[in-house]
Amino acid sequence: MQLFDNPASPFCRKVQVLLRETGQLDEVETTYAVGHPLAPDRMPLAENPLGKIPCLVRDDGPALYDSRVICRYLDARGEGGLYPEGRIWEVLTLEATADGIMDAAVLMIYEGRSRPEALRYPAWVDAQWDKIARALDALESRWMGHLAGRLDMGQIAVGCALGYLDFRLPDRDWRKGRTALAEWFEAFGQRDSMAATVPSA
């Protein structure tokens, strides 16, 4: 299998963590891809018409894209148990919450990197952060029991989302007022799979 990937992407990191946690890393060839909506030339357009990563090219079927699709596929393939049926809706909702944090954070970065300065809209950027802050507050108030449980894909997604905030938006200080979440992330980030996939530019 071939995985189009970028070490700066939190969505790609989700896949990389899952590959390590399920023992499938050696079965995937990673291909570096870089781009954004205004510069898609080095993205896997033939494999994913949306021009987004991660994108997984399989030997036995069409390419898969969207990190949630890829993670669900690889977990089933590797029998990782990261989407347990007994709490599947909680896991999927937690993963969706984490992905929403990532989406909003990436849009904040694109606003500064892709738009000419005269077209940037600070209020829109702040509105993206408001989404992130609400989601972080929900994690702190509603999800700590789940995060403390057996490893699942929701936890991995949250860890990758928080790591991306540290990587791209450190000045926003997501830890302020969220002691339990900060302590959880400090411990979770020590997993071998997380330590091996710390984002880099």
Side-chain angles (χ1 to χ4, degrees), residues 4 15 22 40 53 62 66 79 90 116 121-122 178 184 194:
F4 288 92
V15 178
T22 60
I53 53 174
D66 187 279
E79 299 181 350
E90 290 78 10
Y121 187 25
R178 304 181 184 99
W184 173 83
M194 291 291 290

Side-chain angles (χ1 to χ4, degrees), residues 51-80:
K52 299 175 72 174
I53 53 174
C55 177
L56 182 69
V57 179
R58 301 178 292 165
D59 300 327
D60 58 350
L64 302 178
Y65 42 87
D66 187 279
S67 65
R68 275 179 273 187
V69 175
I70 294 171
C71 287
R72 193 74 182 267
Y73 168 78
L74 289 173
D75 182 66
R77 181 180 184 275
E79 299 181 350

Side-chain angles (χ1 to χ4, degrees):
M1 294 183 291
Q2 181 185 22
L3 176 67
F4 288 92
D5 177 277
N6 187 301
S9 165
F11 299 100
C12 291
R13 189 183 187 189
K14 284 173 55 184
V15 178
Q16 290 289 344
V17 170
L18 182 147
L19 288 171
R20 287 162 172 79
E21 292 286 352
T22 60
Q24 298 180 82
L25 184 62
D26 292 340
E27 300 176 44
V28 173
E29 174 190 352
T30 299
T31 299
Y32 183 77
V34 61
H36 56 77
L38 297 179
D41 294 349
R42 293 176 59 190
M43 301 300 271
L45 298 177
E47 294 79 10
N48 178 0
L50 300 175
K52 299 175 72 174
I53 53 174
C55 177
L56 182 69
V57 179
R58 301 178 292 165
D59 300 327
D60 58 350
L64 302 178
Y65 42 87
D66 187 279
S67 65
R68 275 179 273 187
V69 175
I70 294 171
C71 287
R72 193 74 182 267
Y73 168 78
L74 289 173
D75 182 66
R77 181 180 184 275
E79 299 181 350
L82 296 174
Y83 290 93
E85 282 300 321
R87 48 197 169 97
I88 188 62
W89 303 116
E90 290 78 10
V91 172
L92 292 176
T93 299
L94 187 56
E95 184 180 13
T97 301
D99 282 5
I101 292 172
M102 297 179 205
D103 281 330
V106 168
L107 288 174
M108 291 174 70
I109 299 303
Y110 279 173
E111 184 76 4
R113 292 187 172 188
S114 300
R115 285 184 185 272
E117 188 170 357
L119 298 179
R120 294 173 193 167
Y121 187 25
W124 188 87
V125 173
D126 288 341
Q128 299 307 313
W129 180 256
D130 288 344
K131 295 180 192 176
I132 293 170
R134 289 193 300 268
L136 293 172
D137 289 342
L139 294 175
E140 176 82 8
S141 63
R142 304 176 201 167
W143 288 97
M144 294 313 304
H146 186 110
L147 290 174
R150 182 180 174 184
L151 180 68
D152 61 39
M153 198 61 217
Q155 296 172 12
I156 290 172
V158 170
C160 293
L162 299 179
Y164 189 72
L165 297 182
D166 280 347
F167 176 52
R168 291 298 196 200
L169 301 168
D171 294 343
R172 294 282 181 162
D173 191 16
W174 68 263
R175 290 171 175 79
K176 185 176 181 181
R178 304 181 184 99
T179 303
L181 187 60
E183 290 178 352
W184 173 83
F185 180 62
E186 179 67 23
F188 192 79
Q190 295 177 25
R191 295 185 72 90
D192 289 345
S193 61
M194 291 291 290
T197 58
V198 173
S200 59

